[in-house]
Amino acid sequence: TTLFIRDGKIADSEIPELSRQAREDLQDLGPTFIKAGQMMSVRPDVLPQATLDELTKLQDSVVPFDTEVAVQQIERELGGPLGQFFTSISEEPVAAASLAQVYLATLNDGNNTRVAVKVQRPSVLGTVSKDLYVLRRAAEVFQGLVDRFAPQQRTNYVALLNEWSIGFYTELDFNNEAKNQQRLRDILISKNVKGVCVPKVYPELCTRRILVSEWIDGKKLSDASTSEIARVTPLAQEAFLTQLFEAGFFHADPHPGNLLLLNEPNEDGAELALIDCGLMASISEEDRDSFVNAVIHLANKDYA
């Protein structure tokens, strides 16, 4: 594709094709760069809409790995043949992202309970580790240049990458994600939050590379209509404010792919589901008090 730059700007007509190429390049580079693309897919303040539309595909439409490999990983992690744990599993993943892909399966529990089986990509830990090592060395060089030629710039790029890396490694442990998911589920139930649910986890079937949880029939919030989004927005606000101000433990990766609008309200009346609890964050009580004070001052228009 020819890149046209006129008056110091990329021609608008070129943006969709360039965005597609950028998304495909990120996929080819692997999980670390796919994750970076996901991070940028929710930044309309930085990127044009055509680019956001392409990067959004990285949330759950990445090229999947072979199902046969996934089944081998499930059997290896759970320590037995697939039929010992599941009576069926979808031939193809229903979603594929940077670190894992998800299958629809039925439990071998006598009830054929439908579950989501999240399977980590093979060798992803080694790939991510090498990528992060290279990126950190590059950040060190860039930081040195900034310190020398732009000392007024206060951003510590090495520390920023380190923090991102910690979250990345945390997401690679599905046992940790299972605990996070169960904790968030318990919080919303105990706080009597209405309209929003977190899928049940099956901890006996979870390992560092496999996560099994309740199946949710629904669609990404980004695929919902404007009226549907308007209907559930107050529910989502209540759920996240409760996490932030009351519990001090909140979902830190709420992109549209992780918010599912249920096809039908569940037995508890929930219309929205929060999924993918690999990246969570905690806030101390002192910081929560500061947040509450700031909100009160804003509500009272007291900006002093």
Side-chain angles (χ1 to χ4, degrees):
T1 299
T2 303
L3 172 61
F4 295 102
I5 300 180
R6 301 184 182 88
D7 300 323
K9 295 182 179 180
I10 298 174
D12 289 344
S13 60
E14 296 294 318
I15 291 178
E17 177 62 19
L18 289 172
S19 300
R20 183 189 64 79
Q21 287 186 0
R23 189 256 304 165
E24 291 178 351
D25 289 343
L26 289 172
Q27 287 188 173
D28 291 341
L29 286 168
T32 308
F33 298 91
I34 292 172
K35 179 62 69 174
Q38 289 177 344
M39 181 174 63
M40 295 306 297
S41 72
V42 292
R43 293 298 303 273
D45 57 319
V46 176
L47 297 173
Q49 188 60 48
T51 304
L52 296 176
D53 292 341
E54 281 293 334
L55 294 181
T56 296
K57 297 175 183 177
L58 299 176
Q59 294 173 2
D60 61 2
S61 301
V62 177
V63 176
F65 61 91
D66 192 74
T67 295
E68 184 177 342
V69 175
V71 169
Q72 291 172 356
Q73 178 134 305
I74 293 171
E75 293 179 333
R76 184 168 56 251
E77 287 292 312
L78 298 183
L82 188 70
Q84 180 180 336
F85 310 100
F86 307 102
T87 54
S88 69
I89 190 167
S90 56
E91 293 184 3
E92 299 295 334
V94 296
S98 56
L99 305 181
Q101 56 195 42
V102 177
Y103 292 86
L104 168 60
T106 52
L107 287 179
N108 188 4
D109 61 353
N111 298 313
N112 285 330
T113 303
R114 295 198 304 165
V115 293
V117 182
K118 185 175 181 179
V119 185
Q120 192 172 111
R121 287 183 175 272
S123 306
V124 69
L125 179 60
T127 301
V128 167
S129 296
K130 287 184 285 187
D131 288 342
L132 291 176
Y133 172 77
V134 172
L135 288 173
R136 194 181 192 285
R137 293 299 299 271
E140 290 171 352
V141 172
F142 184 70
Q143 188 70 56
L145 293 173
V146 169
D147 292 344
R148 181 175 180 182
F149 297 109
Q152 71 278 9
Q153 167 63 260
R154 299 298 183 182
T155 302
N156 187 329
Y157 294 97
V158 174
L160 191 64
L161 181 63
N162 287 345
E163 192 66 26
W164 188 57
S165 300
I166 291 171
F168 215 146
Y169 280 120
T170 299
E171 284 191 84
L172 286 170
D173 185 351
F174 289 175
N175 276 323
N176 181 69
E177 180 174 346
K179 292 175 183 176
N180 287 342
Q181 189 164 321
Q182 187 59 53
R183 182 180 174 186
L184 183 58
R185 175 181 169 87
D186 291 342
I187 285 172
L188 295 188
I189 292 173
S190 65
K191 299 294 184 182
N192 200 31
V193 174
K194 302 296 184 182
V196 179
C197 67
V198 175
K200 175 185 176 182
V201 177
Y202 295 85
E204 69 278 8
L205 296 175
C206 296
T207 72
R208 193 176 71 80
R209 298 181 180 89
I210 303 293
L211 176 69
V212 179
S213 59
E214 174 187 2
W215 177 260
I216 299 292
D217 280 315
K219 58 186 175 184
K220 294 190 301 182
L221 200 58
S222 54
D223 292 337
S225 66
T226 302
S227 60
E228 289 173 325
I229 293 174
R231 188 182 75 245
V232 299
T233 294
L235 304 177
Q237 288 177 330
E238 178 70 20
F240 277 96
L241 288 174
T242 298
Q243 294 171 54
L244 188 63
F245 293 134
E246 291 190 49
F249 182 73
F250 65 96
H251 196 301
D253 192 21
H255 63 68
N258 288 340
L259 297 168
L260 296 184
L261 180 66
L262 276 62
N263 293 338
E264 296 290 341
N266 68 9
E267 58 185 16
D268 296 319
E271 299 182 59
L272 190 68
L274 300 180
I275 63 172
D276 194 348
C277 297
L279 194 59
M280 307 291 289
S282 298
I283 304 177
S284 68
E285 186 173 354
E286 180 181 357
D287 286 340
R288 274 182 277 154
D289 289 341
S290 297
F291 280 139
V292 170
N293 286 333
V295 170
I296 291 173
H297 284 298
L298 285 173
N300 293 328
K301 297 183 179 181
D302 179 7
Y303 307 123

